[in-house]
Amino acid sequence: MTVSQDAAVQETITPDGRTIGGVLMEMRNITLRFGGVVAIEDISFDIRQGEIRAIIGPNGAGKSSMLNVINGFYHPQDGEVWYKGAIRGPMRPHQIAAQGIARTFQNIALFHGMSTLDNIMTGRLTHMKTGMLSQSVWFGRAQREETENRAFAERIIDFLEIQSIRKTPVGRLPYGLQKRVELGRALAAEPSLLLLDEPMAGMNVEEKEDMSRFILDVNDEFGTTIALIEHDMGVVMDLADRVVVMDYGRKIGDGSPEEVRNNKAVIDAYLGVSSD
Amino acid sequence: MLYREAGDFKVSYQADQQTFPIRFDRLFFWALLASAYFVVPFFINDYWANAVLLPFLIYGVASIGLNILTGYCGQVSLGSGGFMAVGAYTCYKMMTAFPDLNLAFCILAGGVTTAIVGIMFGLPSLRIKGFYLAVVTLAAQFFLVWMFNKVPWFYNYSATGMISSPERTMFGYAITGPNATPAATYLFCLTFLVVLAFLGRNLTRGSVGRKWMAIRDMDIAAEIIGVNPLMAKITAFGVSSFYVGVAGAMIFSVYLGAVEVTEAFGIQKSFLLLFMIIIGGLGSILGSLVGAAFMVLMPVLLKNIMVNSFGWAIDIAAHFEFIIIGGLIVFFLIVEPHGLAQLWRIIKEKMRLWPFPH
Ligand SMILES: Nc1ncnc2c1ncn2[C@@H]1O[C@H](COP(=O)(O)OP(=O)(O)O)[C@@H](O)[C@H]1O
Ligand SMILES: [Mg+2]
């Protein structure tokens, strides 16, 4: 906790030349229980402006639960969430989305009845404010808003190289592309903080490389802060600036990829647990 | 090939967002609309108005309404009959309490009241889903019909318990009552349908429609990307019930002229509307209209063929109608949940690239 407050004042330049700013989000002593199961036990860590923060750990460690706490889907029994310098009170997930936190899901959660374009446009909802009355008339404000946001959605489509599946219903897309569309939907929100829950799970090597490139580009070009969960240690080493390691709901390590890799507790936790 | 999309490239997002992006469709639509206004009124007679055109136009409004709730927002309703009754009785009370009030206004008031009632019955949808919500709306259906039967204030203490619509005019033409001409009632209903279909299409193609569809497809993900589920569901119930209420008001005032609630707005009407959107296509405004046309036309057609051409008894023909409708519903639910609208889209897709499908 005190460490992160120090971090708030300093600005760091990464080896590859990106600027990491002050603390964007800070979790303080978060505890989350489901009945008798303690999914998260007294965990504190912070996420700094502009960094790529990885959360790793074996299955069931509580990583997804942590993202669910961050975007307000789960409410921790204990602890505080600080975001953009203020403590966050009880909020519904859609209010938190409006504050600029977007995410993808471990099991793809696209809108299956809609096309790629519509999924991405849905991601822009927090930027679309015309009321129902103007919408029902369409011509004028609603159409202008739709066109502006469509232009933004098209930029994301170009960025992710999914032009050819723009009008395809997402249910018909192969798994790897669905993951990419889901990333697009999250990016459409122009989030300050992007949460990615195992964005490369189930992908082949080539797809993983593509996805890694997109994640790095998002962070680099738009300066988006990213917190991601990933199993593949190689990927984590390549992408992350700092890593939180979780095991059985507790934090067993926190630091740069090198520090974490050489951490005794981390090595023990991963012994026998293949980090595929 | 006259009909094709290939070679029809869009140069702006605006052009790509049109309701009928293909030029041929657009021309066809305008021609259809023009003849609906400028040709049909000169040829319409009582039979066509009452057997085909009025029911199509009015059920078209109702089925767009139900499709917004069920097809777009994914909330099943078995209460449409009861909601139509709310529109009808509001319209009746307004017409009789304020004789100088414009008919269109009474009908819209029916829609607004129904929207409020719909939202009330829709509130439980925040907690309960699917089958259980269907049961709540079913309860609404029975409760509303029971209430309109039991509380004499609603039918102005008339001895029969029926409500009947007094004569009202628009621009000097009688729209309700015995002096109304088929052309006048037809144009009146047509205008309601055209305006409401336009508004419905606009609502469903923009961000409101995407909120509804997001809730339908995956409500948790929808909330996490910023959809307020309460607002999305309440607006869907409100807008949908408005349409259904307007349709109920029109059935009463313009189409039937006098109604008895159990007969005109019973549970069978809720099912009729559901069949329309299932056969026409869930989540499609065009599908709502196609479904309404189908469910209105098919009995007329079947009766003409079986009774008049084959000389079958009327009751046998009626049984056949049930069998055919039942079969179609099973077919569409299993094979093509997006209904006739989707079949048409698939045919178009095949046609527009023909003869080179790649
Ligand atoms: N909604 C829930 N209800 C009950 N238990 C849950 C729920 N979500 C997660 N858990 C439990 O919390 C623990 C952590 O799960 P999770 O956060 O999904 O782990 P990870 O993402 O690290 O694999 C698991 O034991 C899991 O069973
Ligand atoms: Mg997980």
Side-chain angles (χ1 to χ4, degrees), chain A residues 28-50:
Chain A
R28 293 190 185 167
N29 307 97
I30 301 288
T31 297
L32 175 74
R33 283 182 293 267
F34 297 103
V37 180
V38 185
I40 301 174
E41 195 177 345
D42 193 27
I43 289 192
S44 304
F45 69 97
D46 64 2
I47 302 169
R48 289 170 59 183
Q49 187 78 48

Side-chain angles (χ1 to χ4, degrees), chain B residues 2-317:
Chain B
L2 285 169
Y3 185 86
R4 52 178 44 216
E5 185 179 10
D8 193 9
F9 295 110
K10 299 292 170 292
V11 291
S12 75
Y13 299 138
Q14 213 144 310
D16 196 38
Q17 286 153 10
Q18 294 174 102
T19 300
F20 300 107
I22 302 171
R23 191 154 164 268
F24 185 87
D25 287 359
R26 219 156 40 232
L27 292 177
F28 180 75
F29 169 76
W30 287 112
L32 193 70
L33 194 64
S35 49
Y37 269 101
F38 302 114
V39 180
V40 175
F42 294 102
F43 295 97
I44 194 169
N45 57 26
D46 267 322
Y47 174 77
W48 274 94
N50 290 326
V52 176
L53 290 170
L54 291 191
F56 161 67
L57 296 172
I58 298 175
Y59 281 121
V61 170
S63 107
I64 291 175
L66 183 62
N67 217 335
I68 284 176
L69 183 67
T70 304
Y72 283 95
C73 197
Q75 314 295 304
V76 182
S77 169
L78 293 174
S80 317
F83 292 138
M84 286 201 279
V86 174
Y89 279 77
T90 309
C91 182
Y92 172 67
K93 291 300 283 188
M94 295 290 283
M95 285 172 90
T96 50
F98 309 101
D100 294 331
L101 210 58
N102 188 295
L103 173 67
F105 189 85
C106 298
I107 291 176
L108 292 177
V112 171
T113 314
T114 313
I116 295 167
V117 174
I119 288 173
M120 271 163 41
F121 280 102
L123 282 177
S125 69
L126 288 177
R127 291 258 169 265
I128 57 177
K129 288 174 193 164
F131 176 70
Y132 297 93
L133 181 65
V135 171
V136 170
T137 59
L138 190 62
Q141 166 72 40
F142 284 110
F143 169 75
L144 289 167
V145 168
W146 172 86
M147 183 181 77
F148 290 123
N149 253 325
K150 285 294 171 224
V151 183
W153 179 80
F154 285 116
Y155 49 87
N156 285 0
Y157 307 95
S158 77
T160 54
M162 291 176 72
I163 56 174
S164 55
S165 135
E167 178 169 306
R168 292 287 179 270
T169 58
M170 292 280 283
F171 311 113
Y173 294 97
I175 305 292
T176 64
N179 295 322
T181 62
T185 50
Y186 161 80
L187 283 173
F188 183 82
C189 294
L190 176 66
T191 304
F192 261 91
L193 176 68
V194 168
V195 171
L196 288 175
F198 172 75
L199 299 179
R201 163 68 188 154
N202 291 340
L203 281 176
T204 50
R205 68 165 138 174
S207 59
V208 174
R210 281 189 215 103
K211 282 180 195 169
W212 290 337
M213 291 189 276
I215 290 286
R216 169 196 72 191
D217 284 348
M218 189 158 287
D219 52 356
I220 292 174
E223 181 165 14
I224 281 170
I225 66 167
V227 179
N228 181 344
L230 174 72
M231 286 312 292
K233 286 180 183 174
I234 279 185
T235 51
F237 268 97
V239 172
S240 158
S241 307
F242 176 83
Y243 278 67
V244 172
V246 163
M250 288 202 290
I251 287 179
F252 153 67
S253 59
V254 184
Y255 176 41
L256 296 176
V259 302
E260 196 279 314
V261 62
T262 326
E263 199 185 311
F265 301 118
I267 179 81
Q268 72 276 18
K269 286 291 149 59
S270 302
F271 283 117
L272 177 66
L273 284 180
L274 266 183
F275 296 164
M276 285 177 180
I277 63 171
I278 291 171
I279 290 178
L282 292 168
S284 157
I285 299 291
L286 179 68
S288 315
L289 298 180
V290 174
F294 188 86
M295 292 300 288
V296 167
L297 274 177
M298 200 194 46
V300 177
L301 266 178
L302 286 181
K303 186 162 159 277
N304 270 328
I305 294 172
M306 293 192 289
V307 179
N308 299 354
S309 308
F310 296 174
W312 293 6
I314 288 182
D315 55 337
I316 295 187

Side-chain angles (χ1 to χ4, degrees), chain A residues 180-233:
Chain A
R180 210 185 282 190
V181 174
E182 208 193 14
L183 174 64
R185 185 180 68 183
L187 287 178
E190 289 179 83
S192 316
L193 175 60
L194 175 62
L195 312 173
L196 304 173
D197 197 344
E198 307 203 13
M200 291 164 231
M203 286 186 165
N204 62 34
V205 176
E206 198 182 326
E207 288 171 326
K208 277 186 186 184
E209 278 170 4
D210 280 342
M211 188 56 93
S212 303
R213 182 163 53 84
F214 290 133
I215 292 171
L216 284 174
D217 284 351
V218 167
N219 175 257
D220 204 23
E221 285 180 28
F222 308 117
T224 310
T225 310
I226 296 173
L228 91 155
I229 296 174
E230 185 46 56
H231 272 299
D232 188 325
M233 280 304 269

